[in-house]
Amino acid sequence: MQIRQFQAQRMVAPRQFQPIENKPIAVEIGAGKGKHALQFCTLHPTQILYAIERTREKFDAMHKQAQLHPTENLVDIHADALPWVTHALYPKQVTQFFLLYPNPEPHNSAQRWLNMPFFEFLLSRLADEGTITLASNIESYIEEAEQQLKELWQLPYEKQIIPSDSERTHFELKYLQRGELCQQLIIRKPQGYKTRFDDFEPLNGQGHV
């Protein structure tokens, strides 16, 4: 299976976009109401986490929680992830990406993370030996992602069953309380892994259609 190349230069900057420094960070895409983001920042006070959420209602809830439980290492971002990542992130900047319970896109498989041209760009932003954590309660989603990792992206990964007492996100808590099987793939980018975007610098608000 071939995936067309992501058109990074066509990405228009998010509203009120602010460039960021080129230093190691973690990034959560689809951070929801911020449950995992706040937990992560509390447990890892020396690591900066950028938590991105597109939906206004969920972002407002996360922002409120961040104000109630302030941590210096959490940066919450209200934006669509694709243009924000394209404009903000530098090559090999991110030590960890978190994709926790993304929309399974049951009617549009091309929009699933590992089926998207954008996934190659995401990999270019990941540091050598960095990881992407992809979690889902849908077994077929995990199985398809595994197949793509083996056949298309050729990346090493570890498949894990998420413990029944885990509660990183509101979705995870709900699924596990129902007794559903939740799994995650810890995807690792090995030294020397190449993408077509390894030299692509962030657009920093300069993208155009």
Side-chain angles (χ1 to χ4, degrees):
M1 177 180 177
Q2 293 293 321
I3 289 184
R4 60 185 173 82
Q5 185 169 344
F6 175 61
Q7 299 299 309
Q9 70 280 0
R10 292 182 174 272
M11 281 284 135
V12 177
R15 291 181 181 179
Q16 301 176 325
F17 172 78
Q18 296 293 325
I20 70 172
E21 290 184 64
N22 186 6
K23 58 184 179 181
I25 59 171
V27 175
E28 181 175 0
I29 295 177
K33 298 179 181 179
K35 187 175 178 63
H36 171 261
L38 286 164
Q39 289 178 359
F40 178 90
C41 288
T42 300
L43 292 171
H44 307 280
T46 62
Q47 297 186 43
I48 299 170
L49 174 68
Y50 281 76
I52 308 165
E53 176 53 46
R54 177 176 59 187
T55 306
R56 166 58 73 178
E57 182 181 358
K58 291 179 180 178
F59 172 80
D60 287 346
M62 173 168 60
H63 190 68
K64 181 178 180 180
Q65 288 300 311
Q67 291 178 317
L68 291 172
H69 308 282
T71 58
E72 294 184 357
N73 56 330
L74 173 60
V75 184
D76 52 2
I77 301 289
H78 180 223
D80 184 276
L82 274 65
W84 187 87
V85 166
T86 308
H87 281 263
L89 297 183
Y90 293 82
K92 298 186 178 183
Q93 180 181 11
V94 180
T95 58
Q96 297 182 78
F97 278 109
F98 294 98
L99 307 172
L100 305 180
Y101 303 93
N103 185 337
E105 301 287 354
H107 304 298
N108 189 0
S109 63
Q111 290 298 310
R112 296 172 197 151
W113 277 106
L114 276 78
N115 298 344
M116 295 169 62
F118 177 72
F119 193 72
E120 182 182 5
F121 189 87
L122 201 72
L123 290 171
S124 76
R125 308 298 98 173
L126 187 64
D128 289 341
E129 303 302 330
T131 60
I132 300 174
T133 300
L134 174 68
S136 179
N137 65 316
I138 300 173
E139 194 167 0
S140 61
Y141 188 103
I142 293 291
E143 289 174 350
E144 180 187 68
E146 283 189 275
Q147 183 178 359
Q148 292 291 69
L149 287 169
K150 293 172 184 175
E151 297 179 3
L152 177 61
W153 303 111
Q154 298 179 347
L155 283 166
Y157 67 93
E158 181 181 347
K159 184 178 181 178
Q160 300 174 346
I161 293 176
I162 297 167
S164 59
D165 60 351
S166 184
E167 48 184 53
R168 290 177 299 184
T169 76
H170 292 90
F171 283 125
E172 184 165 89
L173 183 61
K174 178 175 68 175
Y175 298 147
L176 290 171
Q177 284 179 342
R178 289 178 183 169
E180 296 183 25
L181 173 66
C182 293
Q183 300 178 93
Q184 65 184 14
L185 303 178
I186 309 297
I187 304 159
R188 181 176 60 83
K189 179 183 175 181
Q191 290 275 352
Y193 188 88
K194 302 293 185 183
T195 80
R196 290 171 287 185
F197 299 100
D198 291 344
D199 298 320
F200 189 97
E201 293 298 312
L203 292 174
N204 284 328
Q206 301 303 310
H208 58 84
V209 176

